[in-house]
Amino acid sequence: MAIVVFLILVGLLPPALSLWATYRAERRVIERFDLVVESGRYAPVTPWRRRHPDEHYVDGLGLVIGDITCQLNARSPHIRCAVNPTGPCDGCRSYEGRIYDLPIKPLN
């Protein structure tokens, strides 16, 4: 009788170990998923590159630094203008304003 009980226990041991290992793996996956969800929920949104307040993005030109209304602006992300390449544009004696002729569309 002891041999029969021993054989039954030996036969049930692999499925029991498999169920235990499956349960542990599921718990580990759920804990990691919860950790990822929690860390993503409160992650600060930081830009990968800090922009200088003097940089502007202009459609058709791209990134431009300096005062884009100045006639002497180089319209480049590397240099402001030929007169004052390192800036700042505020209070520059060589400032030449640009007049933009924008068509006025009537409101219908």
Side-chain angles (χ1 to χ4, degrees), residues 43-88:
V45 178
T46 56
W48 62 273
R49 179 184 175 276
R50 297 267 185 219
R51 284 210 170 142
H52 192 273
D54 205 20
E55 294 177 343
H56 310 283
Y57 182 81
V58 179
D59 288 337
L61 293 176
L63 191 63
V64 176
I65 59 173
D67 187 359
I68 59 173
T69 62
C70 180
Q71 187 77 14
L72 301 174
N73 188 293
R75 286 149 186 77
S76 163
H78 307 290
I79 188 171
R80 283 178 175 78
C81 68
V83 177
N84 190 7
T86 59

Side-chain angles (χ1 to χ4, degrees), residues 2 8-9 19 24 30 43 45 51 86 90 92 94 101 103 105:
I8 291 174
L9 288 177
L19 285 173
R24 281 194 56 197
I30 290 172
V45 178
R51 284 210 170 142
T86 59
D90 295 333
C92 180
S94 302
D101 293 326
K105 296 179 182 179

